[in-house]
Amino acid sequence: MSPRSATTWVPGHITGFFAVERAPDPLATGSIGAGLALRNGVTVTVTAPGDGTITVDGRERVVEPAERVLGTFDTGVSVAVDTAIPIGTGFGVSGAIALGAAVGANAVTGATRTENELIGTAHRAEVEAGTGMGDVVAQARGGVPIRLTPGGPEHGRLDGIPARRRVEYVSYDELSTAEVLAGDIAPINAAGRAALRTVRADPTLDCFMTASRKFAKDADLLTGRVAETIETVEDQGGAASMAMLGQTVFAFDRDLSDAGFDPAVTRIADGSLRID
Amino acid sequence: MSPRSATTWVPGHITGFFAVERAPDPLATGSIGAGLALRNGVTVTVTAPGDGTITVDGRERVVEPAERVLGTFDTGVSVAVDTAIPIGTGFGVSGAIALGAAVGANAVTGATRTENELIGTAHRAEVEAGTGMGDVVAQARGGVPIRLTPGGPEHGRLDGIPARRRVEYVSYDELSTAEVLAGDIAPINAAGRAALRTVRADPTLDCFMTASRKFAKDADLLTGRVAETIETVEDQGGAASMAMLGQTVFAFDRDLSDAGFDPAVTRIADGSLRID
C-alpha cells in the first residue's frame, strides 16, 4: 500500500561560519557552526519503481550524495528535483536533494525508517561524497540553526536563534566544497570555533552576520568579486557576508538592494521539511 | 530597537500514549511517548510594555504556565492568544501558549535566549504548573514527534515518524491533566513504555494508532462517551483513539466521518513554530 510517488520540500541553507570535526564514524563527523534555512529550497519527488535517474529542473544530473542515499534502499526509484536555488554556490542543494530523496524513498518503498534515521542516511551520504558537512541536519531543523556539535541526529546537538528576517543574495559562481575541505583546514577551524563562541554569547541575527563576516575574512575564503560586493554593501552602511561554500553574498533586509545590487529575495524558513 | 509586538504560531499536539518520568530538575522531568503535531494550533501575540494580562480569543484567562514563563523576563508584557483548538481537551493548548509567550517575550523585551532556552523555559513552566509533561518539546519539533527520553532540549531526545495525514477529531469535555497525574501513575507508565517499544519497532502512523488505542485501554483512561465513540468507529472498520489528556477522540483520514460523526478536520503539521 506504499504510494507510488512522494514529494518532500527541503529548505535551502546558507552556512555563515563553520569548523570541521572528523571522526572514524561518518555519523559523528560533520561541522559545527551556524547558518540560515531559507524559504527558497528544493522540491524532491521520488517515484517507484525507477532506475535511479536523478533529474534537476528537467535535466539528468549526477548528485553523488543522493545516489548514495538511494543505494541504501532495496527498491529502485527515480528522483525529480525542482530547485529555487542554484547548485554549487553555497545553498546546500546537494544536502537538500539527499534529504528529500531519503524521505521520499522511505515513503514509496515501504521502508519504515524514522526521521532521525533518514536525516542520518542523508548526512552520512554528504560526508562520504565530500559535498557537505552540516547542511542536512540544519535543513532538517529549519530557522537559524546553530550546530553545537557535529554529526547526524544521534551525535550532533543543535540550537537556534529564534528570529526570522528577509534575506537577499547574489550568486556569482560555483566553489567546490570538496576542494576547500581538502586544503589547509586549520585556519578555517580556528576562525569557525571563535565565531561559534561569539554567537553563543549573543545569539542574535546581527551577531550572526558580524561573526560570519569576521569568519570569512579570518578564514581567508573570500574570492575577488565576493569581497568587492561585501565591501560595497559596507560602504553603504550595510552588512553582508559569504555563503559557505559558494561564491554567494548574502545580507538581511535590503542591504544588497540598497547598495545597488539586484539580489534574489527570500526569507528565513520557519520549520523544516514539508512532506506531502 | 526591539519590536513592540511579536506573533508566533505553535501547532496543537495530541499525545497518543505516554509515560511520566520525574527527576529533581524540572528540565529533566517530562514524559516519553508519541503524538501528532496539528495544523490547528494557536497564534500568540506578545506586546511590550504590558501588565501581564493573558487573553484567549478575547477573554481574559488564567494560564498558569504562560504566567510562569512571563515571570522569567525582566520586562512586563501582555499576551493575546487566538486558538483554533479547545483548551483542556488534549490538544496541548497550555503548552502552546507557554511556548508562544516565551518566543514572543524574548523578541519584544530584547532578551537574547536561544530556541532551546525558550523551549526549556516553557517546558519547565508546564511541568511546574502540572499542565503538561511533553507537549512543548513535541510542538517545537512538529510532525509526528516520538519522545524517546523526557525533559527539555538539554535532556530530552526526540525522533519522528516521517509521514503526514489528514486528522479528524471530536471533543466532548475537559479532563484535568494534573488530576490524572496525581492518581495511580504505575499502570499508565507500564502501558506507555510498552506502546513506545511497539512504535519504535514499527515507526508508522498505523502502528502509532494501534499502540495509542491499546494504551488508552490498558492505562484505563477511557471515559464513557470517548469509549463509545472509538467503538463505533471500530464497528465501521476504522481506527480511533483518545487524546491524552482530554475527552477527545482522534482518527486518521475519514474514519470518524465514515462512522457518522461530524468531526473537526485538520492535518499533521509540517515543521514547528512560525515566528513572524
Short mmCIF file of all heavy atoms in Angstrom, two decimals, chain B residues 124-174:
data_model
loop_
_atom_site.label_atom_id
_atom_site.label_comp_id
_atom_site.label_asym_id
_atom_site.label_seq_id
_atom_site.Cartn_x
_atom_site.Cartn_y
_atom_site.Cartn_z
N ARG B 124 9.64 23.83 31.44
CA ARG B 124 9.73 23.92 32.90
C ARG B 124 8.44 24.50 33.48
O ARG B 124 7.92 24.00 34.49
CB ARG B 124 10.92 24.81 33.29
CG ARG B 124 10.94 25.19 34.77
CD ARG B 124 11.93 26.33 35.05
NE ARG B 124 13.30 25.88 34.98
CZ ARG B 124 13.99 25.41 36.05
NH1 ARG B 124 13.41 25.32 37.23
NH2 ARG B 124 15.23 25.04 35.92
N ALA B 125 7.90 25.53 32.85
CA ALA B 125 6.68 26.17 33.33
C ALA B 125 5.50 25.19 33.30
O ALA B 125 4.68 25.16 34.23
CB ALA B 125 6.36 27.41 32.49
N GLU B 126 5.41 24.37 32.25
CA GLU B 126 4.35 23.37 32.16
C GLU B 126 4.48 22.32 33.26
O GLU B 126 3.50 21.93 33.89
CB GLU B 126 4.42 22.66 30.80
CG GLU B 126 3.70 23.36 29.69
CD GLU B 126 2.33 22.74 29.45
OE1 GLU B 126 2.27 21.69 28.78
OE2 GLU B 126 1.32 23.31 29.93
N VAL B 127 5.71 21.85 33.46
CA VAL B 127 5.95 20.82 34.48
C VAL B 127 5.61 21.38 35.86
O VAL B 127 4.93 20.73 36.66
CB VAL B 127 7.42 20.34 34.43
CG1 VAL B 127 7.76 19.49 35.65
CG2 VAL B 127 7.66 19.54 33.14
N GLU B 128 6.06 22.60 36.14
CA GLU B 128 5.82 23.19 37.46
C GLU B 128 4.34 23.50 37.68
O GLU B 128 3.84 23.42 38.80
CB GLU B 128 6.69 24.44 37.64
CG GLU B 128 8.18 24.07 37.76
CD GLU B 128 9.11 25.26 37.88
OE1 GLU B 128 8.68 26.40 37.58
OE2 GLU B 128 10.28 25.05 38.26
N ALA B 129 3.64 23.87 36.61
CA ALA B 129 2.20 24.13 36.74
C ALA B 129 1.39 22.84 36.74
O ALA B 129 0.20 22.85 37.09
CB ALA B 129 1.74 25.04 35.60
N GLY B 130 2.01 21.73 36.34
CA GLY B 130 1.31 20.45 36.29
C GLY B 130 0.34 20.32 35.12
O GLY B 130 -0.50 19.43 35.09
N THR B 131 0.49 21.19 34.12
CA THR B 131 -0.47 21.20 32.99
C THR B 131 -0.02 20.34 31.82
O THR B 131 -0.82 20.07 30.91
CB THR B 131 -0.68 22.65 32.52
OG1 THR B 131 0.60 23.31 32.45
CG2 THR B 131 -1.56 23.41 33.50
N GLY B 132 1.22 19.92 31.82
CA GLY B 132 1.70 19.09 30.71
C GLY B 132 3.10 18.61 31.00
O GLY B 132 3.84 19.23 31.78
N MET B 133 3.48 17.51 30.35
CA MET B 133 4.79 16.92 30.62
C MET B 133 5.62 16.76 29.34
O MET B 133 6.81 16.45 29.41
CB MET B 133 4.62 15.54 31.25
CG MET B 133 3.89 15.55 32.57
SD MET B 133 4.81 16.39 33.89
CE MET B 133 5.89 15.04 34.42
N GLY B 134 5.02 16.93 28.18
CA GLY B 134 5.79 16.68 26.97
C GLY B 134 5.29 17.41 25.74
O GLY B 134 5.90 17.32 24.68
N ASP B 135 4.20 18.16 25.87
CA ASP B 135 3.66 18.85 24.69
C ASP B 135 4.64 19.86 24.11
O ASP B 135 4.79 19.96 22.89
CB ASP B 135 2.35 19.59 25.05
CG ASP B 135 1.18 18.64 25.25
OD1 ASP B 135 1.04 17.71 24.44
OD2 ASP B 135 0.42 18.84 26.20
N VAL B 136 5.31 20.62 24.97
CA VAL B 136 6.13 21.74 24.49
C VAL B 136 7.24 21.25 23.56
O VAL B 136 7.42 21.78 22.46
CB VAL B 136 6.70 22.55 25.67
CG1 VAL B 136 7.76 23.54 25.19
CG2 VAL B 136 5.58 23.29 26.40
N VAL B 137 8.00 20.25 23.98
CA VAL B 137 9.10 19.79 23.12
C VAL B 137 8.57 19.16 21.84
O VAL B 137 9.18 19.25 20.78
CB VAL B 137 10.04 18.81 23.86
CG1 VAL B 137 10.75 19.53 25.01
CG2 VAL B 137 9.29 17.59 24.38
N ALA B 138 7.39 18.54 21.92
CA ALA B 138 6.78 17.96 20.72
C ALA B 138 6.33 19.06 19.76
O ALA B 138 6.54 18.98 18.55
CB ALA B 138 5.59 17.08 21.12
N GLN B 139 5.72 20.11 20.31
CA GLN B 139 5.26 21.21 19.47
C GLN B 139 6.42 21.95 18.82
O GLN B 139 6.31 22.45 17.70
CB GLN B 139 4.41 22.17 20.32
CG GLN B 139 3.04 21.57 20.65
CD GLN B 139 2.36 22.21 21.83
OE1 GLN B 139 3.01 22.63 22.79
NE2 GLN B 139 1.04 22.28 21.77
N ALA B 140 7.56 22.00 19.52
CA ALA B 140 8.73 22.67 18.98
C ALA B 140 9.38 21.84 17.87
O ALA B 140 10.16 22.37 17.07
CB ALA B 140 9.75 22.94 20.08
N ARG B 141 9.06 20.54 17.80
CA ARG B 141 9.61 19.71 16.73
C ARG B 141 8.67 19.65 15.53
O ARG B 141 9.08 19.73 14.38
CB ARG B 141 9.89 18.29 17.22
CG ARG B 141 10.46 17.40 16.09
CD ARG B 141 10.74 15.98 16.53
NE ARG B 141 11.23 15.18 15.42
CZ ARG B 141 12.52 14.88 15.22
NH1 ARG B 141 13.42 15.31 16.05
NH2 ARG B 141 12.89 14.16 14.18
N GLY B 142 7.36 19.50 15.78
CA GLY B 142 6.40 19.36 14.69
C GLY B 142 6.35 17.95 14.14
O GLY B 142 7.08 17.05 14.59
N GLY B 143 5.45 17.73 13.17
CA GLY B 143 5.33 16.42 12.56
C GLY B 143 4.69 15.41 13.50
O GLY B 143 3.65 15.67 14.11
N VAL B 144 5.30 14.23 13.62
CA VAL B 144 4.81 13.15 14.49
C VAL B 144 5.92 12.84 15.48
O VAL B 144 6.68 11.90 15.31
CB VAL B 144 4.44 11.90 13.67
CG1 VAL B 144 3.77 10.86 14.55
CG2 VAL B 144 3.54 12.28 12.49
N PRO B 145 6.01 13.63 16.54
CA PRO B 145 7.16 13.53 17.46
C PRO B 145 7.09 12.26 18.31
O PRO B 145 6.05 11.93 18.89
CB PRO B 145 7.04 14.77 18.35
CG PRO B 145 6.06 15.67 17.66
CD PRO B 145 5.14 14.75 16.91
N ILE B 146 8.22 11.59 18.40
CA ILE B 146 8.41 10.48 19.34
C ILE B 146 9.34 11.00 20.43
O ILE B 146 10.45 11.44 20.15
CB ILE B 146 9.04 9.26 18.66
CG1 ILE B 146 8.21 8.83 17.44
CG2 ILE B 146 9.20 8.11 19.65
CD1 ILE B 146 8.90 7.73 16.61
N ARG B 147 8.87 10.97 21.67
CA ARG B 147 9.69 11.46 22.78
C ARG B 147 10.41 10.26 23.39
O ARG B 147 9.83 9.47 24.11
CB ARG B 147 8.80 12.19 23.80
CG ARG B 147 7.99 13.31 23.12
CD ARG B 147 7.33 14.25 24.08
NE ARG B 147 6.42 13.63 25.03
CZ ARG B 147 5.17 13.26 24.76
NH1 ARG B 147 4.66 13.41 23.53
NH2 ARG B 147 4.42 12.73 25.69
N LEU B 148 11.71 10.15 23.07
CA LEU B 148 12.49 8.97 23.47
C LEU B 148 12.92 9.05 24.92
O LEU B 148 12.96 8.02 25.62
CB LEU B 148 13.73 8.84 22.58
CG LEU B 148 13.46 8.73 21.08
CD1 LEU B 148 14.78 8.82 20.30
CD2 LEU B 148 12.76 7.41 20.75
N THR B 149 13.31 10.24 25.34
CA THR B 149 13.68 10.48 26.74
C THR B 149 12.99 11.77 27.17
O THR B 149 12.70 12.62 26.34
CB THR B 149 15.21 10.60 26.92
OG1 THR B 149 15.69 11.70 26.14
CG2 THR B 149 15.93 9.33 26.50
N PRO B 150 12.72 11.91 28.48
CA PRO B 150 11.92 13.05 28.93
C PRO B 150 12.72 14.32 29.10
O PRO B 150 13.95 14.29 29.20
CB PRO B 150 11.39 12.56 30.28
CG PRO B 150 12.47 11.67 30.79
CD PRO B 150 13.07 11.01 29.59
N GLY B 151 12.02 15.44 29.15
CA GLY B 151 12.64 16.69 29.54
C GLY B 151 12.78 17.71 28.43
O GLY B 151 12.40 17.47 27.28
N GLY B 152 13.35 18.86 28.80
CA GLY B 152 13.59 19.95 27.85
C GLY B 152 14.73 19.61 26.90
O GLY B 152 15.27 18.50 26.94
N PRO B 153 15.08 20.56 26.03
CA PRO B 153 16.06 20.28 24.96
C PRO B 153 17.41 19.77 25.44
O PRO B 153 18.07 19.02 24.71
CB PRO B 153 16.20 21.64 24.27
CG PRO B 153 14.91 22.33 24.52
CD PRO B 153 14.50 21.91 25.90
N GLU B 154 17.84 20.14 26.62
CA GLU B 154 19.15 19.67 27.08
C GLU B 154 19.10 18.20 27.51
O GLU B 154 20.15 17.56 27.63
CB GLU B 154 19.64 20.51 28.26
CG GLU B 154 19.83 21.99 27.93
CD GLU B 154 20.87 22.19 26.82
OE1 GLU B 154 21.96 21.61 26.90
OE2 GLU B 154 20.56 22.92 25.86
N HIS B 155 17.92 17.70 27.78
CA HIS B 155 17.79 16.34 28.30
C HIS B 155 17.02 15.42 27.34
O HIS B 155 17.41 14.29 27.11
CB HIS B 155 17.08 16.36 29.66
CG HIS B 155 17.83 17.10 30.70
ND1 HIS B 155 18.78 16.52 31.49
CD2 HIS B 155 17.78 18.40 31.08
CE1 HIS B 155 19.30 17.43 32.30
NE2 HIS B 155 18.71 18.57 32.08
N GLY B 156 15.90 15.90 26.84
CA GLY B 156 15.01 15.05 26.07
C GLY B 156 15.53 14.78 24.66
O GLY B 156 15.98 15.69 23.98
N ARG B 157 15.47 13.53 24.26
CA ARG B 157 15.81 13.18 22.87
C ARG B 157 14.52 12.87 22.13
O ARG B 157 13.63 12.20 22.66
CB ARG B 157 16.73 11.96 22.82
CG ARG B 157 18.17 12.29 23.18
CD ARG B 157 19.12 11.17 22.76
NE ARG B 157 18.68 9.86 23.23
CZ ARG B 157 18.35 8.84 22.43
NH1 ARG B 157 18.44 8.96 21.11
NH2 ARG B 157 17.95 7.70 22.94
N LEU B 158 14.42 13.38 20.90
CA LEU B 158 13.22 13.20 20.09
C LEU B 158 13.57 12.49 18.80
O LEU B 158 14.68 12.56 18.30
CB LEU B 158 12.61 14.56 19.74
CG LEU B 158 12.00 15.38 20.88
CD1 LEU B 158 11.84 16.82 20.46
CD2 LEU B 158 10.66 14.79 21.28
N ASP B 159 12.60 11.80 18.24
CA ASP B 159 12.68 11.31 16.88
C ASP B 159 11.31 11.60 16.26
O ASP B 159 10.50 12.31 16.89
CB ASP B 159 13.02 9.81 16.86
CG ASP B 159 13.58 9.35 15.52
OD1 ASP B 159 13.45 10.09 14.52
OD2 ASP B 159 14.13 8.24 15.47
N GLY B 160 11.03 11.13 15.05
CA GLY B 160 9.74 11.40 14.46
C GLY B 160 9.39 10.36 13.40
O GLY B 160 10.27 9.71 12.85
N ILE B 161 8.10 10.20 13.16
CA ILE B 161 7.63 9.37 12.06
C ILE B 161 7.50 10.27 10.83
O ILE B 161 6.79 11.27 10.88
CB ILE B 161 6.28 8.71 12.40
CG1 ILE B 161 6.43 7.78 13.61
CG2 ILE B 161 5.73 7.95 11.19
CD1 ILE B 161 5.10 7.20 14.11
N PRO B 162 8.20 9.95 9.73
CA PRO B 162 8.24 10.85 8.58
C PRO B 162 7.02 10.68 7.68
O PRO B 162 7.14 10.29 6.51
CB PRO B 162 9.53 10.45 7.86
CG PRO B 162 9.66 8.99 8.16
CD PRO B 162 9.07 8.77 9.53
N ALA B 163 5.84 10.99 8.20
CA ALA B 163 4.60 10.85 7.40
C ALA B 163 3.62 11.92 7.85
O ALA B 163 3.65 12.37 9.00
CB ALA B 163 4.01 9.46 7.60
N ARG B 164 2.75 12.33 6.95
CA ARG B 164 1.72 13.33 7.26
C ARG B 164 0.39 12.76 6.79
O ARG B 164 0.34 11.97 5.87
CB ARG B 164 2.02 14.66 6.53
CG ARG B 164 3.44 15.19 6.77
CD ARG B 164 3.67 15.60 8.21
NE ARG B 164 5.01 16.12 8.43
CZ ARG B 164 5.98 15.45 9.06
NH1 ARG B 164 5.77 14.23 9.55
NH2 ARG B 164 7.16 16.00 9.23
N ARG B 165 -0.71 13.21 7.42
CA ARG B 165 -2.01 12.63 7.08
C ARG B 165 -3.12 13.52 7.59
O ARG B 165 -2.93 14.30 8.53
CB ARG B 165 -2.11 11.25 7.76
CG ARG B 165 -2.99 10.25 7.07
CD ARG B 165 -2.42 8.86 7.35
NE ARG B 165 -3.42 7.80 7.35
CZ ARG B 165 -3.16 6.54 7.68
NH1 ARG B 165 -1.92 6.18 8.04
NH2 ARG B 165 -4.09 5.62 7.66
N ARG B 166 -4.30 13.41 6.99
CA ARG B 166 -5.49 14.10 7.48
C ARG B 166 -5.86 13.54 8.86
O ARG B 166 -5.78 12.32 9.09
CB ARG B 166 -6.64 13.84 6.50
CG ARG B 166 -7.99 14.37 6.93
CD ARG B 166 -9.04 13.89 5.91
NE ARG B 166 -10.38 13.97 6.42
CZ ARG B 166 -11.29 14.86 5.99
NH1 ARG B 166 -10.98 15.73 5.04
NH2 ARG B 166 -12.51 14.85 6.50
N VAL B 167 -6.25 14.43 9.77
CA VAL B 167 -6.65 14.04 11.12
C VAL B 167 -8.05 14.58 11.39
O VAL B 167 -8.34 15.75 11.11
CB VAL B 167 -5.67 14.61 12.17
CG1 VAL B 167 -6.13 14.28 13.60
CG2 VAL B 167 -4.26 14.07 11.94
N GLU B 168 -8.92 13.72 11.91
CA GLU B 168 -10.25 14.13 12.34
C GLU B 168 -10.36 13.99 13.87
O GLU B 168 -9.72 13.11 14.45
CB GLU B 168 -11.33 13.25 11.70
CG GLU B 168 -11.41 13.39 10.18
CD GLU B 168 -12.61 12.67 9.60
OE1 GLU B 168 -13.16 11.76 10.27
OE2 GLU B 168 -13.01 13.01 8.46
N TYR B 169 -11.16 14.85 14.50
CA TYR B 169 -11.35 14.70 15.95
C TYR B 169 -12.70 15.25 16.39
O TYR B 169 -13.26 16.14 15.76
CB TYR B 169 -10.22 15.36 16.74
CG TYR B 169 -10.04 16.84 16.51
CD1 TYR B 169 -10.75 17.78 17.26
CD2 TYR B 169 -9.15 17.31 15.54
CE1 TYR B 169 -10.57 19.14 17.06
CE2 TYR B 169 -8.97 18.68 15.33
CZ TYR B 169 -9.68 19.59 16.08
OH TYR B 169 -9.52 20.93 15.87
N VAL B 170 -13.21 14.66 17.46
CA VAL B 170 -14.38 15.19 18.17
C VAL B 170 -13.99 15.35 19.63
O VAL B 170 -13.32 14.49 20.21
CB VAL B 170 -15.62 14.26 18.04
CG1 VAL B 170 -16.14 14.26 16.61
CG2 VAL B 170 -15.31 12.85 18.49
N SER B 171 -14.40 16.48 20.23
CA SER B 171 -14.07 16.79 21.63
C SER B 171 -15.34 16.89 22.45
O SER B 171 -16.28 17.57 22.04
CB SER B 171 -13.31 18.12 21.72
OG SER B 171 -12.04 18.00 21.17
N TYR B 172 -15.36 16.21 23.60
CA TYR B 172 -16.55 16.25 24.45
C TYR B 172 -16.39 17.14 25.67
O TYR B 172 -17.26 17.90 26.00
CB TYR B 172 -16.92 14.84 24.88
CG TYR B 172 -17.28 13.97 23.71
CD1 TYR B 172 -16.57 12.81 23.44
CD2 TYR B 172 -18.31 14.32 22.85
CE1 TYR B 172 -16.89 12.01 22.36
CE2 TYR B 172 -18.64 13.53 21.76
CZ TYR B 172 -17.93 12.37 21.51
OH TYR B 172 -18.24 11.59 20.44
N ASP B 173 -15.27 17.02 26.36
CA ASP B 173 -15.20 17.74 27.63
C ASP B 173 -13.74 17.82 28.08
O ASP B 173 -12.87 17.15 27.53
CB ASP B 173 -16.03 17.02 28.69
CG ASP B 173 -16.64 18.00 29.69
OD1 ASP B 173 -16.17 19.15 29.77
OD2 ASP B 173 -17.57 17.58 30.40
N GLU B 174 -13.54 18.62 29.10
CA GLU B 174 -12.20 18.76 29.65
C GLU B 174 -11.87 17.57 30.57
O GLU B 174 -12.75 16.85 31.03
CB GLU B 174 -12.08 20.08 30.43
CG GLU B 174 -12.39 21.29 29.56
CD GLU B 174 -11.95 22.60 30.18
OE1 GLU B 174 -11.22 22.56 31.19
OE2 GLU B 174 -12.32 23.65 29.63
#
